[in-house]
Amino acid sequence: MADVKSVFTVLAVVSAAGLVGACRSSREPAQAPLTVRVDSGSVRGIVKGGSRQFLGIPYAEPPTGALRWTLPRKPRPWSGVRAAGRPGNDCPQGTAGTQGSRPSGEDCLYVNVTTPRENHGGLPVMVWWHGGGFTQGSGREYDAVRLATEGKAVVVTVNYRLGIFGYLGLPGLPGSGDFGFADQISALQWARRNASAFGGDPRNITVFGQSAGGMSVCALLTSPAAKGLISKAIVSSGSCRVRWPAGGLFPGAPADRPYVPLAQGQSDGLAAAKELGCGGEKALACLRRKPVADLLPHSESFADHLAYGTDLLPRDPAVALGAGAFTNVPVIVGGTRDEARAFVGGALKYDSKLITSETYPRLLRRAFGSSAGKVAARYPLSRFPSAGLAWAAVLTDESWACSTLAGARDLAARTTVYSYEFADENAPNVNGLRIPGLPQGAAHASDLPYLFDLGGRDLLVTRDRKELARTMVGYWSAFARSGDPNHRGAPSWRPGTAPLSLAPGAIRTVDAAAEHNCGFWETTTR
């Protein structure tokens, strides 16, 4: 954007000639207001670069006190103009005292809205659900200035309840196991009601998310609540089909998947209540009296614990997807080429002896039982520089890539699907893992800096990566606008289940099923 003084000088000269209106219409759109009115009251945002940002807008009442573990309610109206220059609290996560200077608390149901600075109307609306295993993360981490300004979109990033606060189940408790999911849907409804205030089109909403956020988006497609609420979806590193064998998320951990039947969610909730000294008929009242610090140590028990068999999620999303029981909207679906290196790296950082040439056979036996020898022959240690890379290749292929491709096939049988695989082997090391013998490559979450400035920082320092980021922003925003990601100057992206590989200077369609041995895994049992 031009220097401010230069702009005023030009306007003064043109005004004297009586041409201000013509200049604005032909060269520079009018700037949009920083004070807008949403359905609960007025908010005043801030300018950042070429964007407007409205941060920390409540989309629901604080789920505190008697509202802890209740379904979200519309926020209470306020009078005057509410300052919207700072994000709201992160939802409680981690363990007590681990969030440093970042404010957190149960009063955390806020959205952040980023739009172009210019006064546009009818922009596509993109609502982002963050990842973090359903136990960590917040909307504040994802600065959407580039996506909003380059993509000409209204981007909404969402906080939702996490861990025990978001996914506790108890018999007879309305909303059991789905409070975080209900928050996400409530934020979508808020975006629909208020899109016009920010220059967005309420009839053109795309929901997109990564990891736990992607798994939530996939679940939404099978939820009755999705009908008429969204027009498009983007699922990143989070297929409805994803599942992990024993040890797949961490050596020694049981087999897992993101969704659990309601009965299991309620049983786990009762077990947590008992451990907290809240057994019996008054368990809920007792739990609501517990301080956050007492509850947080139990949050990890509710990771990957989104409940089905409920009003919001009647069926197991994987089963519903396979049966074609999902909202028929265009979908982008994909992941990263080396997903599991992040999880294997985390395990090795914790204890370098967990994954070695000696433990590799035991990991395979625990994960795949009688098929372990078959897997070892397909992924022999001799093929890999380290046991960590071998185990990461097994998990990437079996748990992530082939599950994602299977989910894409389910979707493509009934709707338009665009598949991708992020494949920049030198992507920013967003997970901060530096493990000898285990380069992170295109690990889980390494694609995020290409869409967002994480923590407000642009992590892309080379020209070719910045160019890839512009292309990806173009794909994502074009898809949000029209349901087709193709845009001028970018390599063609054909619909279907053959992924478009996204790497600097090497965007092309690939046979990911062959690269990840999916034919082998279809014949291999755990």
Side-chain angles (χ1 to χ4, degrees):
M1 184 175 289
D3 177 82
V4 173
K5 291 184 179 179
S6 300
V7 171
F8 279 119
T9 301
V10 171
L11 286 178
V13 172
V14 176
S15 179
L19 298 175
V20 171
C23 179
R24 280 182 176 163
S25 63
S26 63
R27 294 186 180 180
E28 184 177 299
Q31 292 186 334
L34 286 178
T35 299
V36 302
R37 184 167 184 82
V38 297
D39 58 355
S40 298
S42 296
V43 293
R44 181 166 180 81
I46 59 174
V47 173
K48 182 173 183 180
S51 76
R52 295 181 300 162
Q53 291 192 322
F54 301 85
L55 310 177
I57 305 175
Y59 68 86
E61 278 197 63
T64 58
L67 295 185
R68 181 189 277 177
W69 298 305
T70 62
L71 293 170
R73 306 179 184 185
K74 288 184 179 180
R76 294 180 180 177
W78 58 84
S79 58
V81 178
R82 181 186 179 104
R86 298 175 62 185
N89 293 332
D90 290 359
C91 290
Q93 55 195 274
T95 56
T98 62
Q99 285 199 224
S101 60
R102 290 173 54 167
S104 67
E106 288 183 271
D107 177 5
C108 64
L109 300 186
Y110 296 95
V111 294
N112 309 300
V113 182
T114 305
T115 80
R117 183 71 179 96
E118 295 84 5
N119 194 0
H120 296 279
L123 297 177
V125 180
M126 304 179 71
V127 179
W128 172 254
W129 293 349
H130 67 80
F134 299 92
T135 60
Q136 300 177 49
S138 70
R140 79 157 70 216
E141 298 168 349
Y142 302 89
D143 189 321
V145 167
R146 283 187 288 122
L147 191 53
T149 57
E150 295 177 23
K152 296 293 187 288
V154 175
V155 185
V156 183
T157 66
V158 178
N159 287 2
Y160 56 93
R161 281 174 281 183
L162 302 167
I164 193 171
F165 300 94
Y167 302 97
L168 176 80
L170 291 172
L173 173 62
S176 271
D178 286 348
F179 299 110
F181 189 49
D183 294 343
Q184 293 169 327
I185 294 170
S186 179
L188 269 178
Q189 293 167 335
W190 182 93
R192 187 183 179 99
R193 295 195 309 270
N194 294 290
S196 298
F198 301 98
D201 181 356
R203 299 164 300 177
N204 189 13
I205 294 179
T206 297
V207 60
F208 67 133
Q210 182 266 350
S211 196
M215 296 163 197
S216 299
V217 173
C218 202
L220 179 77
L221 291 173
T222 74
S223 169
K227 295 187 183 301
L229 185 58
I230 61 171
S231 58
K232 290 167 283 290
I234 303 175
V235 180
S236 297
S237 299
S239 166
C240 281
R241 293 273 195 168
V242 69
R243 57 184 190 140
W244 305 282
L249 287 174
F250 192 88
D256 202 2
R257 54 193 305 267
Y259 318 111
V260 299
L262 177 60
Q264 179 185 334
Q266 292 177 340
S267 175
D268 292 343
L270 288 171
K274 185 176 180 180
E275 290 179 17
L276 284 157
C278 290
E281 295 181 359
K282 297 184 178 180
L284 178 61
C286 174
L287 288 171
R288 282 179 173 153
R289 290 194 296 269
K290 292 288 182 181
V292 168
D294 287 358
L295 297 168
L296 275 177
H298 298 267
S299 262
E300 288 299 322
S301 299
F302 296 90
D304 302 315
H305 230 68
L306 180 55
Y308 61 86
T310 67
D311 290 342
L312 283 180
L313 202 56
R315 301 178 69 179
D316 179 341
V319 173
L321 204 71
F326 59 85
T327 297
N328 191 329
V329 297
V331 181
I332 287 177
V333 61
T336 68
R337 190 190 58 196
D338 307 310
E339 296 271 12
R341 291 190 190 183
F343 300 93
V344 172
L348 288 171
K349 183 177 180 180
Y350 177 79
D351 184 348
S352 62
K353 298 178 181 178
L354 287 174
I355 305 166
T356 65
S357 57
E358 289 75 26
T359 65
Y360 183 63
R362 294 200 297 272
L363 290 168
L364 293 179
R365 283 196 299 273
R366 187 161 188 269
F368 304 108
S370 61
S371 297
K374 180 180 175 182
V375 177
R378 190 75 173 200
Y379 296 82
L381 281 173
S382 59
R383 255 185 59 202
F384 300 92
S386 69
L389 273 177
W391 183 232
V394 168
L395 296 177
T396 291
D397 292 357
E398 194 269 353
S399 301
W400 292 96
C402 297
S403 296
T404 296
L405 289 169
R409 287 196 298 271
D410 289 340
L411 290 164
R414 291 172 174 83
T415 193
T416 302
V417 169
Y418 292 89
S419 299
Y420 77 93
E421 182 173 75
F422 178 79
D424 183 1
E425 63 182 12
N426 294 307
N429 186 355
V430 295
N431 300 302
L433 295 167
R434 292 170 178 82
I435 309 298
L438 187 67
Q440 286 297 287
H444 191 71
S446 62
D447 51 339
L448 294 175
Y450 294 75
L451 298 174
F452 299 98
D453 290 346
L454 300 184
R457 294 177 56 212
D458 182 353
L459 300 180
L460 307 175
V461 297
T462 64
R463 181 178 298 176
D464 58 349
R465 276 161 191 82
K466 288 181 180 292
E467 181 59 35
L468 176 60
R470 281 190 290 271
T471 300
M472 288 176 60
V473 165
Y475 282 141
W476 263 240
S477 57
F479 178 78
R481 189 171 301 107
S482 67
D484 183 342
N486 289 288
H487 59 98
R488 183 179 299 176
S492 177
W493 188 349
R494 296 190 298 272
T497 57
L500 188 71
S501 177
L502 300 172
I507 297 177
R508 57 191 176 86
T509 301
V510 295
D511 187 350
E515 290 181 5
H516 293 285
N517 298 308
C518 294
F520 167 80
W521 287 111
E522 287 173 1
T523 64
T524 302
T525 58
R526 292 183 180 176

